Amino acid sequence: MMFEDLRDLYQDVILDRGRTPRHGRRLDVFDADAKGDNPMCGDRVQVFVRHDGASVAAVGFEARGCAISIASADMMADAVIGHTDAEITAMAAGFAGMARSGESHVPALQALRPLAGVHEYPSRIKCATLPWVALAAALAGTDAHKGVASSE
Amino acid sequence: MNAISKTSLDLTRIRADFPILAEKIRGKDLVFLDSAASAQKPRVVIDAMVHAMEHQYANIHRGLHWMSERTTEAYEETRDSVARLMNAPDRRNIVFTRNSTEAFNLVALSYGRSVLQPGQAVVISEMEHHANIVPWQMLRDATGIELRIAPITDAGEIDMLAYEAMLADGRVGLVSITHMSNVLGTYTPAQRIIEIAHRNGAKVMLDGSQSIVHRRIDVQALDVDFFAWTGHKLYGPTGIGVLYAKAELLERMPPVMGGGDMISTVTYQNSTWAEVPHKFEAGTPAIIEGIGLNAAIKYVESIGYDAIAAHEAALTDHALARLSVIDGLTIMGRPQDRGGVVSFTLEGAHAHDVATLLDRQGIAVRAGHHCAQPLMQRLGVDSTARASFGIYTTLAEIDVLADTLDHVRTFFK
Ligand SMILES: Cc1ncc(COP(=O)(O)O)c(C=O)c1O
């Protein structure tokens, strides 16, 4: 079949999550959020985070972008729930490394391995890392009012 | 590639002129459908540049020695070729820039800051490249000149009634509008745009970056005041572009950059400027690229705009026919007068994913906002994929695109 050789990039889980993300919505209640923008290609994502004590209890996102960026945002949400901000910041760095090199030895990132295929497509690496950049910004910006849930 | 096509060009011969078209991408024929971003280069351009560097090169306009004189002649001959190509009245109407972008910035910085007065307005359209938006925004912010945006219709054409109304108060000093959209392929009615502007006391600058690739430009017949284009899209090298302007405008305009080549005399008290067009060309220019551009122009002339335009029309008709029947594919715009650029979206697949899949089959298209974010917003999309054509594009390549897009759609279903 045509594109069989693209399966390393578009694995089933990516096609599935890109099409029907589980976390693709704005949270009703959140205490941190941030936007990510890739001006080169017009991808946009806004990430919403709700903490429960020290760890993240829920993540949601609204995104306009390609299958890779949406799948990445959705899989990121799964991966970070239950982790503290410090852990998530380390995961974000680990994920960026995996997207660039294709390698990862971080156990917490195992479920995200299907996204490592982007490392062979330099123009697509940013698609995968954009949600993580937004999440890191959300967590960094939230320090001042952590615990004060804002809602809309 | 099978028979190449029933268009007016001898495509077997033309394709043989472009060495890069023999390249394979992951074992597949290169199907290059991104010429609107930058075109490939024929052998004659490559050879002219190599020849200059190997046999005839020195700095220009300043040496008295043989090499400098010969190189100056070769570089300045390009100005004659450009003037001939555009039917400019004189070689002095031709200012060399780095690209179209620099031509717009030059006019904004020079004409915009000296001749245009606060309280006057500049009109652009809703389908401009960023190169014809940002310099005017910067002018607006620096001088208080108003920036007006002429709307387009849903078909992707300039709304001429709204355009005319926009000039009615007589405050518009300059209209700067694309001659052919790099996203929608729309050719704008330049003649009418110019007539209306002149009737209302405004000058007109046309963005010919795309149009000059496919159609004969006659700046005198158009009576256009400024016309910008960029060498690399016309099968020439990067690093050289053209600003055509009427002589009386260039005479009135102050230089923007100072330095060597643009002066007549320099003392610490003051300096005087070189004659037009040299006062706008500070510093050592893109000599090799200028020489390469001359070869590109001669190459285009040897094929002729009648055949080039007919080929573009055949390719565009074929692309519209093939792409429009693909399930879930939406073509952006439906202008009456349309050139060899087709932007589209595919339901269920983002433009980047489409481009990555096409690339796997050796097909190069552009995906994204095409340096026209306000237009994307107007069209209600974040990004599109875009196929664009050149003189070496074949109908068979468009078939490969259409057939592959069918598979792309299945892949994301
Ligand atoms: C319509 C249009 N205007 C302006 C430009 C800018 O050309 P350049 O980047 O060579 O200045 C382009 C090409 O990118 C274009 O398509």
Side-chain angles (χ1 to χ4, degrees):
Chain A
M1 176 205 147
M2 201 181 269
F3 307 128
E4 211 37 62
D5 56 342
L6 268 171
R7 284 290 176 173
D8 56 340
L9 180 62
Y10 292 102
Q11 300 191 19
D12 283 338
V13 56
I14 294 178
L15 289 175
D16 173 46
R17 293 299 189 102
R19 208 178 291 127
T20 46
R22 321 274 193 270
H23 304 274
R25 68 199 146 73
R26 186 185 191 93
L27 298 181
D28 292 335
V29 181
F30 56 89
D31 51 63
D33 73 299
K35 289 184 178 146
D37 214 344
N38 185 351
M40 283 302 290
C41 62
D43 278 358
R44 277 197 305 264
V45 63
Q46 185 169 9
V47 176
F48 307 91
V49 184
R50 185 173 68 246
H51 288 82
D52 183 4
S55 57
V56 166
V59 176
F61 66 90
E62 286 178 335
R64 302 288 300 262
C66 61
I68 310 274
S69 68
I70 299 205
S72 179
D74 206 46
M75 293 159 76
M76 171 184 83
D78 278 346
V80 301
I81 289 171
H83 288 277
T84 64
D85 288 6
E87 286 166 350
I88 293 170
T89 307
M91 287 165 77
F95 183 82
M98 180 176 84
R100 277 194 303 273
S101 70
E103 310 269 320
S104 169
H105 310 289
V106 182
L109 295 178
Q110 276 320 301
L112 305 177
R113 286 224 43 102
L115 288 159
V118 292
H119 84 276
E120 286 189 44
Y121 302 81
S123 58
R124 306 303 301 276
I125 291 173
K126 279 207 175 118
C127 307
T129 55
L130 182 66
W132 285 92
V133 171
L135 177 62
L139 297 181
T142 194
D143 284 355
H145 52 272
K146 180 146 337 140
V148 185
S150 69
S151 67
E152 299 193 330
Chain B
M1 186 133 309
N2 77 359
I4 290 213
S5 70
K6 307 183 302 282
T7 77
S8 44
L9 293 181
D10 178 357
L11 283 181
T12 313
R13 207 206 75 217
I14 286 177
R15 290 181 68 82
D17 292 337
F18 289 81
I20 209 167
L21 297 180
E23 291 293 311
K24 300 275 184 206
I25 306 297
R26 300 187 195 89
K28 303 214 162 62
D29 286 339
L30 168 64
V31 176
F32 188 76
L33 298 177
D34 195 20
S35 291
S38 199
Q40 301 298 350
K41 319 304 174 199
R43 169 63 66 197
V44 285
V45 169
I46 300 164
D47 285 351
M49 296 172 76
V50 171
H51 182 269
M53 285 184 281
E54 286 185 347
H55 300 289
Q56 190 193 71
Y57 179 76
N59 210 332
I60 59 171
H61 300 145
R62 31 186 103 170
L64 291 176
H65 53 79
W66 190 93
M67 274 294 178
S68 176
E69 285 176 338
R70 293 294 92 72
T71 310
T72 304
E73 277 167 21
Y75 180 78
E76 285 299 328
E77 191 197 311
T78 307
R79 212 183 294 275
D80 295 323
S81 292
V82 170
R84 185 177 67 238
L85 185 78
M86 308 173 74
N87 194 29
D90 194 280
R91 66 195 314 281
R92 283 174 304 185
N93 298 110
I94 307 302
V95 178
F96 286 126
T97 61
R98 277 189 303 144
N99 44 38
S100 307
T101 303
E102 188 172 287
F104 286 105
N105 279 280
L106 196 166
V107 175
L109 287 168
S110 174
Y111 191 81
R113 288 184 186 225
S114 62
V115 181
L116 295 181
Q117 299 298 321
Q120 282 195 295
V122 171
V123 170
I124 62 174
S125 87
E126 243 177 346
M127 55 178 173
E128 300 305 325
H129 188 280
H130 295 163
N132 190 28
I133 302 175
V134 183
W136 308 117
Q137 254 170 357
M138 292 165 75
L139 176 70
R140 176 197 65 193
D141 295 346
T143 67
I145 277 164
E146 187 194 340
L147 185 56
R148 298 182 184 174
I149 318 293
I152 58 169
T153 63
D154 290 337
E157 297 171 327
I158 306 276
D159 181 336
M160 292 300 288
L161 288 177
Y163 165 71
E164 185 156 11
M166 200 165 266
L167 281 106
D169 66 0
R171 293 207 292 121
V172 176
L174 180 71
V175 171
S176 188
I177 278 187
T178 192
H179 196 199
M180 174 185 169
S181 163
N182 64 310
V183 176
L184 302 173
T186 312
Y187 282 103
T188 56
Q191 200 95 46
R192 277 178 62 211
I193 288 171
I194 293 164
E195 275 165 23
I196 291 169
H198 286 173
R199 209 183 318 126
N200 289 281
K203 304 289 186 207
V204 176
M205 178 164 196
L206 286 181
D207 181 352
S209 306
Q210 298 293 341
S211 62
I212 201 165
V213 178
H214 308 286
R215 293 195 179 176
R216 179 177 293 111
I217 302 300
D218 183 334
V219 288
Q220 295 187 76
L222 284 171
D223 195 25
V224 68
D225 302 289
F226 300 97
F227 190 103
W229 58 281
T230 190
H232 66 96
K233 293 187 204 275
L234 192 75
Y235 314 104
T238 50
I240 184 139
V242 170
L243 172 66
Y244 161 85
K246 285 182 179 166
E248 69 267 24
L249 299 174
L250 289 178
E251 293 295 346
R252 285 171 75 189
M253 287 162 56
V256 170
M257 282 197 279
D261 263 6
M262 56 73 68
I263 45 78
S264 170
T265 58
V266 176
T267 67
Y268 285 121
Q269 284 68 47
N270 58 41
S271 300
T272 56
W273 312 141
E275 294 291 300
V276 165
H278 299 288
K279 75 175 176 188
F280 299 107
E281 298 176 351
T284 299
I287 299 170
I288 317 270
E289 290 76 5
I291 289 169
L293 182 62
N294 197 14
I297 291 169
K298 289 178 180 173
Y299 182 76
V300 165
E301 288 174 330
S302 75
I303 296 169
Y305 272 110
D306 291 341
I308 291 173
H311 181 59
E312 183 205 23
L315 292 168
T316 308
D317 288 349
H318 190 60
L320 293 175
R322 286 294 319 259
L323 297 185
S324 62
V325 297
I326 295 175
D327 218 19
L329 189 146
T330 306
I331 294 173
M332 300 290 116
R334 44 189 154 75
Q336 293 284 319
D337 191 6
R338 155 175 232 156
V341 168
V342 182
S343 291
F344 57 90
T345 58
L346 197 58
E347 200 187 320
H350 189 274
H352 293 156
D353 297 317
V354 172
T356 294
L357 265 66
L358 293 176
D359 175 60
R360 268 289 140 151
Q361 301 301 313
I363 305 169
V365 298
R366 178 144 178 209
H369 55 56
H370 316 292
C371 298
Q373 286 178 354
L375 174 58
M376 292 286 127
Q377 210 159 9
R378 168 66 175 84
L379 298 172
V381 295
D382 295 309
S383 64
T384 71
R386 178 188 76 183
S388 58
F389 316 133
I391 44 177
Y392 38 68
T393 307
T394 66
L395 298 177
E397 287 182 307
I398 290 167
D399 290 334
V400 172
L401 170 70
D403 294 344
T404 310
L405 281 170
D406 267 331
H407 291 282
V408 171
R409 190 146 158 68
T410 325
F411 187 85
F412 284 107
K413 231 178 212 150

